[in-house]
């Protein structure tokens, strides 16, 4: 298991909803002091009940400043990483956007609040079931699909924006090729499994252009881990 995040017990427990002011504390204590200024993102994070995007036994952890493990190899990204990746993506109204590795749908719901058209891709049945319920309640305009994350969604391409919601060892060319000209892809790149960098990949006239942004550490999506090497 990647050691990037602590492990929270999945044992049944008495449900204790987060305090009513938890979202305000999250935004004013975690998000705004760390250079997140997009008013659409801040407003969405103030209003979306993050606990609705978690299994019931994890709801009490909804507003912690950390990744929340959802399974052995998947997490809900910490609020600040979600906010900064979405701000880096700079969604523009009416754009067509794809979220790969949508998980339980929280980042997808924030993106949908930016007046864009969103398709969310998730292959894990358990996570997708949580997302189906939460998005149906808070972002019903999102089209939630099942499919292999590493394949992207070529049937609905080209995309103005692709967000891979998690860390990757590398970005498949097959996904980059699904961007329209001047489209962009945002994710966290961890090529050697070490410290990560948020990156933007723009589909330019002469091919993809990569720009590194801020340091960012989160768990590798299992579908985007480096293939094991063999030595003799």
């Amino acid at each position: 298991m990647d050691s990037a995040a602590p492990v929270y017990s999945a044992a049944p427990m008495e449900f204790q909803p987060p305090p009513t002011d938890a979202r305000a504390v999250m935004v004013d204590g975690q998000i705004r002091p760390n250079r997140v200024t997009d008013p659409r993102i801040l407003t969405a994070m103030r209003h979306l009940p993050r606990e609705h995007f978690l299994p019931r036994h994890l709801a009490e952890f909804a507003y912690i400043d950390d990744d929340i493990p959802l399974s052995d190899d998947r997490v809900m990204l910490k609020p600040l990483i979600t906010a900064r990746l979405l701000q880096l993506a700079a969604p523009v109204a009416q754009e067509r956007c794809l979220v790969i590795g949508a998980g339980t749908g929280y980042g997808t719901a924030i993106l949908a609040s930016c007046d864009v058209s969103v398709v969310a891709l998730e292959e894990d049945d358990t996570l997708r079931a949580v997302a189906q319920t939460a998005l149906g309640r808070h972002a019903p305009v999102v089209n939630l699909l099942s499919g292999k994350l590493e394949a992207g969604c070529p049937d609905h391409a080209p995309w103005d924006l692709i967000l891979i919601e998690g860390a990757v060892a590398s970005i498949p060319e097959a996904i980059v090729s699904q961007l329209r000209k001047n489209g962009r892809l945002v994710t966290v790149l961890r090529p050697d499994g070490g410290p990560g960098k948020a990156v933007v990949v723009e589909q330019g006239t002469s091919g993809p252009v990569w720009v590194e942004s801020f340091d960012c550490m989160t768990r590798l999506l299992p579908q985007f881990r480096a293939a094991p090497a063999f030595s003799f």
Side-chain angles (χ1 to χ4, degrees), residues 18 50 70 84 116 120 131 136 140 213 216:
R50 188 170 152 91
L70 301 170
R84 294 199 69 185
V116 295
S213 186
C216 186

Side-chain angles (χ1 to χ4, degrees), residues 85 100 162-166 168 171 175 185-188 221 224:
L85 287 176
I100 296 175
I162 297 175
L163 171 66
I164 303 179
E165 201 170 347
V168 303
I171 303 172
I175 291 179
L185 181 151
V186 172
T187 191
V188 177
L221 287 165
F224 295 94

Side-chain angles (χ1 to χ4, degrees), residues 32-65:
R32 291 180 61 231
N34 286 286
R35 299 186 297 280
V36 178
T37 58
D38 189 318
R40 302 170 301 173
I41 295 171
L42 296 174
T43 297
M45 295 186 84
R46 283 191 191 279
H47 288 92
L48 277 173
R50 188 170 152 91
E51 63 273 19
H52 290 182
F53 294 85
L54 284 167
R56 190 176 179 86
H57 68 274
L58 294 175
E60 67 175 303
F61 302 113
Y63 298 99
I64 65 170
D65 184 21

